[in-house]
Amino acid sequence: MPKHPTSRPRSRGASPRGDDARLRIRDAAMALFEERSFGDVTVKEIAAAARVFPNQITHHFGSKDALYVGSAFGLLLRQSERLREAGHGAATPGNLGRTLASTAMSMTSLSVVVGAMAVARANPSVQPAVDAGLTVLFRQSSGYLRTVLRDRGWKAGLGVDRSVRIFWSAVFGSVLTSRASFDRGMSAADLAAALPIAGT
Protein backbone atom coordinates (compact mmCIF):
# COMPACT_ATOMS: atom_id res chain seq x y z
CA MET A 1 0.00 0.00 0.00
CA PRO A 2 2.56 2.62 1.00
CA LYS A 3 4.84 4.27 -1.47
CA HIS A 4 8.47 3.93 -0.47
CA PRO A 5 10.32 7.25 -0.70
CA THR A 6 13.05 7.08 -3.33
CA SER A 7 15.03 9.99 -2.00
CA ARG A 8 15.73 11.50 1.39
CA PRO A 9 16.12 15.25 1.94
CA ARG A 10 19.64 16.09 3.02
CA SER A 11 19.92 17.43 6.54
CA ARG A 12 21.46 20.84 7.02
CA GLY A 13 25.22 20.60 7.04
CA ALA A 14 25.31 16.99 5.83
CA SER A 15 27.88 16.20 3.17
CA PRO A 16 27.18 14.12 0.07
CA ARG A 17 29.87 11.73 1.29
CA GLY A 18 28.16 11.41 4.69
CA ASP A 19 24.81 10.83 3.03
CA ASP A 20 26.35 8.11 0.88
CA ALA A 21 27.80 6.34 3.93
CA ARG A 22 24.45 6.53 5.75
CA LEU A 23 22.58 5.04 2.78
CA ARG A 24 25.17 2.27 2.38
CA ILE A 25 24.87 1.40 6.07
CA ARG A 26 21.08 1.32 5.87
CA ASP A 27 21.04 -0.78 2.69
CA ALA A 28 23.57 -3.23 4.12
CA ALA A 29 21.61 -3.51 7.37
CA MET A 30 18.34 -4.12 5.53
CA ALA A 31 19.90 -6.93 3.50
CA LEU A 32 21.48 -8.60 6.55
CA PHE A 33 18.47 -8.24 8.84
CA GLU A 34 16.17 -9.62 6.15
CA GLU A 35 18.22 -12.81 6.08
CA ARG A 36 19.13 -13.18 9.75
CA SER A 37 17.83 -12.23 13.18
CA PHE A 38 18.84 -9.13 15.11
CA GLY A 39 21.09 -11.05 17.50
CA ASP A 40 22.85 -12.92 14.69
CA VAL A 41 24.02 -9.78 12.89
CA THR A 42 26.95 -7.80 14.32
CA VAL A 43 27.81 -4.16 13.90
CA LYS A 44 31.15 -5.27 12.49
CA GLU A 45 29.38 -7.26 9.76
CA ILE A 46 27.14 -4.34 8.85
CA ALA A 47 30.14 -2.01 8.67
CA ALA A 48 32.05 -4.43 6.44
CA ALA A 49 29.09 -4.85 4.10
CA ALA A 50 28.63 -1.07 3.93
CA ARG A 51 32.37 -0.42 3.52
CA VAL A 52 32.52 1.87 6.56
CA PHE A 53 34.12 1.81 9.99
CA PRO A 54 31.96 0.47 12.86
CA ASN A 55 32.03 3.85 14.63
CA GLN A 56 30.32 5.39 11.60
CA ILE A 57 27.24 3.32 12.40
CA THR A 58 27.10 4.89 15.84
CA HIS A 59 27.73 8.31 14.32
CA HIS A 60 24.90 8.03 11.79
CA PHE A 61 22.34 5.95 13.70
CA GLY A 62 23.25 6.15 17.38
CA SER A 63 23.00 2.42 18.11
CA LYS A 64 22.46 -0.98 16.57
CA ASP A 65 18.93 -0.95 18.01
CA ALA A 66 18.09 2.30 16.22
CA LEU A 67 19.60 1.05 12.97
CA TYR A 68 17.57 -2.15 13.25
CA VAL A 69 14.29 -0.32 13.74
CA GLY A 70 15.00 2.07 10.87
CA SER A 71 16.06 -0.78 8.61
CA ALA A 72 12.99 -2.84 9.48
CA PHE A 73 10.55 -0.11 8.48
CA GLY A 74 12.64 0.87 5.46
CA LEU A 75 12.45 -2.73 4.28
CA LEU A 76 8.70 -2.88 4.94
CA LEU A 77 8.00 0.32 3.03
CA ARG A 78 10.14 -0.90 0.14
CA GLN A 79 8.38 -4.26 -0.05
CA SER A 80 4.93 -2.76 0.38
CA GLU A 81 5.11 -1.58 -3.22
CA ARG A 82 4.01 -5.15 -3.97
CA LEU A 83 0.64 -4.35 -2.40
CA ARG A 84 0.02 -1.55 -4.86
CA GLU A 85 0.93 -3.76 -7.78
CA ALA A 86 -1.11 -6.72 -6.54
CA GLY A 87 -4.18 -4.64 -5.70
CA HIS A 88 -4.21 -3.04 -9.14
CA GLY A 89 -5.69 -6.16 -10.73
CA ALA A 90 -8.35 -6.91 -8.10
CA ALA A 91 -11.73 -6.98 -9.83
CA THR A 92 -14.02 -7.17 -6.80
CA PRO A 93 -13.96 -5.78 -3.24
CA GLY A 94 -13.53 -9.27 -1.78
CA ASN A 95 -10.72 -10.08 -4.17
CA LEU A 96 -8.93 -6.86 -3.21
CA GLY A 97 -8.95 -7.79 0.48
CA ARG A 98 -7.72 -11.34 -0.17
CA THR A 99 -5.06 -10.15 -2.61
CA LEU A 100 -3.70 -7.53 -0.21
CA ALA A 101 -3.71 -10.02 2.67
CA SER A 102 -1.91 -12.81 0.81
CA THR A 103 0.61 -10.37 -0.66
CA ALA A 104 1.30 -8.81 2.73
CA MET A 105 1.90 -12.20 4.33
CA SER A 106 4.48 -13.06 1.67
CA MET A 107 6.65 -10.07 2.64
CA THR A 108 9.81 -11.09 4.51
CA SER A 109 10.01 -7.63 6.09
CA LEU A 110 7.08 -8.39 8.41
CA SER A 111 9.15 -10.67 10.62
CA VAL A 112 11.87 -8.00 10.77
CA VAL A 113 9.36 -5.35 11.85
CA VAL A 114 7.90 -7.62 14.54
CA GLY A 115 11.47 -8.14 15.77
CA ALA A 116 12.01 -4.36 15.77
CA MET A 117 8.92 -3.90 17.91
CA ALA A 118 10.34 -6.39 20.41
CA VAL A 119 13.64 -4.50 20.47
CA ALA A 120 11.77 -1.24 21.09
CA ARG A 121 9.91 -2.82 23.99
CA ALA A 122 13.24 -3.67 25.61
CA ASN A 123 14.79 -0.32 24.67
CA PRO A 124 12.26 2.54 25.03
CA SER A 125 14.71 5.01 23.49
CA VAL A 126 13.91 3.61 20.02
CA GLN A 127 10.14 3.47 20.54
CA PRO A 128 9.66 6.87 18.85
CA ALA A 129 11.23 5.39 15.71
CA VAL A 130 8.70 2.55 15.78
CA ASP A 131 5.88 5.06 16.25
CA ALA A 132 7.21 7.10 13.33
CA GLY A 133 7.49 4.02 11.11
CA LEU A 134 3.94 2.93 11.88
CA THR A 135 2.66 6.46 11.29
CA VAL A 136 4.18 6.49 7.80
CA LEU A 137 2.90 2.98 7.07
CA PHE A 138 -0.66 3.83 8.16
CA ARG A 139 -0.70 7.20 6.40
CA GLN A 140 0.55 5.86 3.08
CA SER A 141 -1.68 2.78 3.28
CA SER A 142 -4.70 4.98 3.92
CA GLY A 143 -3.80 7.17 0.96
CA TYR A 144 -3.52 4.15 -1.30
CA LEU A 145 -6.80 2.63 -0.12
CA ARG A 146 -8.67 5.94 -0.48
CA THR A 147 -7.49 6.20 -4.08
CA VAL A 148 -8.57 2.65 -4.91
CA LEU A 149 -11.97 3.07 -3.29
CA ARG A 150 -12.59 6.41 -4.99
CA ASP A 151 -11.57 5.12 -8.42
CA ARG A 152 -13.75 2.00 -8.17
CA GLY A 153 -16.68 3.40 -6.24
CA TRP A 154 -16.18 1.02 -3.31
CA LYS A 155 -16.41 1.70 0.42
CA ALA A 156 -14.49 0.59 3.51
CA GLY A 157 -17.06 -0.63 6.01
CA LEU A 158 -15.13 0.64 9.03
CA GLY A 159 -13.72 3.76 7.42
CA VAL A 160 -10.36 3.95 5.68
CA ASP A 161 -8.06 4.88 8.56
CA ARG A 162 -9.60 2.44 11.00
CA SER A 163 -9.64 -0.36 8.44
CA VAL A 164 -5.95 0.17 7.65
CA ARG A 165 -4.95 0.06 11.32
CA ILE A 166 -6.98 -3.08 11.96
CA PHE A 167 -5.58 -4.75 8.84
CA TRP A 168 -1.94 -4.10 9.73
CA SER A 169 -2.52 -5.02 13.38
CA ALA A 170 -3.97 -8.34 12.21
CA VAL A 171 -1.02 -8.90 9.88
CA PHE A 172 1.56 -8.19 12.59
CA GLY A 173 -0.38 -10.32 15.06
CA SER A 174 -0.44 -13.21 12.64
CA VAL A 175 3.33 -13.00 12.18
CA LEU A 176 3.84 -12.85 15.94
CA THR A 177 1.75 -15.94 16.65
CA SER A 178 3.43 -17.79 13.81
CA ARG A 179 6.89 -16.91 15.16
CA ALA A 180 5.85 -18.13 18.58
CA SER A 181 4.95 -21.49 16.99
CA PHE A 182 1.40 -21.10 18.28
CA ASP A 183 0.09 -21.90 14.81
CA ARG A 184 0.73 -20.81 11.27
CA GLY A 185 -0.97 -17.50 11.83
CA MET A 186 -4.14 -16.28 10.17
CA SER A 187 -5.08 -17.26 6.64
CA ALA A 188 -5.41 -14.70 3.85
CA ALA A 189 -9.20 -15.05 4.11
CA ASP A 190 -9.06 -14.30 7.85
CA LEU A 191 -6.89 -11.26 7.28
CA ALA A 192 -9.11 -10.05 4.44
CA ALA A 193 -12.00 -10.01 6.92
CA ALA A 194 -10.06 -7.34 8.82
CA LEU A 195 -10.36 -5.14 5.72
CA PRO A 196 -14.09 -5.16 4.88
CA ILE A 197 -14.68 -3.47 1.53
CA ALA A 198 -18.04 -3.27 -0.19
CA GLY A 199 -19.14 -2.33 -3.67
CA THR A 200 -21.81 0.26 -4.31
Side-chain angles (χ1 to χ4, degrees), residues 134-199:
L134 289 173
T135 296
V136 172
L137 176 68
F138 294 156
R139 183 179 68 242
Q140 294 187 359
S141 296
S142 292
Y144 163 76
L145 187 58
R146 279 194 183 89
T147 299
V148 171
L149 298 183
R150 183 193 65 225
D151 292 348
R152 302 185 187 187
W154 298 342
K155 293 183 179 179
L158 301 174
V160 171
D161 292 337
R162 187 178 177 197
S163 294
V164 161
R165 287 176 176 271
I166 292 172
F167 173 78
W168 281 115
S169 295
V171 168
F172 292 137
S174 181
V175 173
L176 184 60
T177 55
S178 179
R179 282 183 59 172
S181 300
F182 179 73
D183 58 24
R184 293 187 178 181
M186 300 172 70
S187 68
D190 291 333
L191 290 171
L195 190 65
I197 299 171

Side-chain angles (χ1 to χ4, degrees), residues 5-176:
T6 55
S7 62
R8 180 178 55 83
R10 185 177 301 163
S11 59
R12 192 174 294 179
S15 69
R17 189 172 183 178
D19 279 353
D20 182 57
R22 182 182 175 86
L23 290 173
R24 288 203 318 271
I25 292 168
R26 190 167 179 261
D27 286 345
M30 283 195 290
L32 289 168
F33 288 134
E34 184 179 9
E35 295 176 356
R36 289 154 54 200
S37 68
F38 174 74
D40 289 340
V41 177
T42 67
V43 169
K44 186 175 180 180
E45 284 181 287
I46 298 169
R51 303 184 313 279
V52 300
F53 294 109
N55 65 354
Q56 287 178 274
I57 291 176
T58 304
H59 171 73
H60 287 288
F61 293 92
S63 67
K64 180 186 173 185
D65 288 4
L67 175 57
Y68 182 56
V69 170
S71 299
F73 281 97
L75 188 61
L76 176 61
L77 292 172
R78 176 183 291 176
Q79 290 188 353
S80 65
E81 284 296 314
R82 299 177 193 172
L83 296 173
R84 289 174 173 268
E85 295 165 6
H88 182 71
T92 66
N95 185 247
L96 176 64
R98 288 189 297 275
T99 298
L100 293 178
S102 60
T103 303
M105 291 307 296
S106 72
M107 292 163 34
T108 55
S109 57
L110 291 175
S111 186
V112 187
V113 170
V114 168
M117 291 177 181
V119 166
R121 184 174 181 181
N123 179 0
S125 71
V126 296
Q127 184 61 50
V130 170
D131 294 341
L134 289 173
T135 296
V136 172
L137 176 68
F138 294 156
R139 183 179 68 242
Q140 294 187 359
S141 296
S142 292
Y144 163 76
L145 187 58
R146 279 194 183 89
T147 299
V148 171
L149 298 183
R150 183 193 65 225
D151 292 348
R152 302 185 187 187
W154 298 342
K155 293 183 179 179
L158 301 174
V160 171
D161 292 337
R162 187 178 177 197
S163 294
V164 161
R165 287 176 176 271
I166 292 172
F167 173 78
W168 281 115
S169 295
V171 168
F172 292 137
S174 181
V175 173
L176 184 60

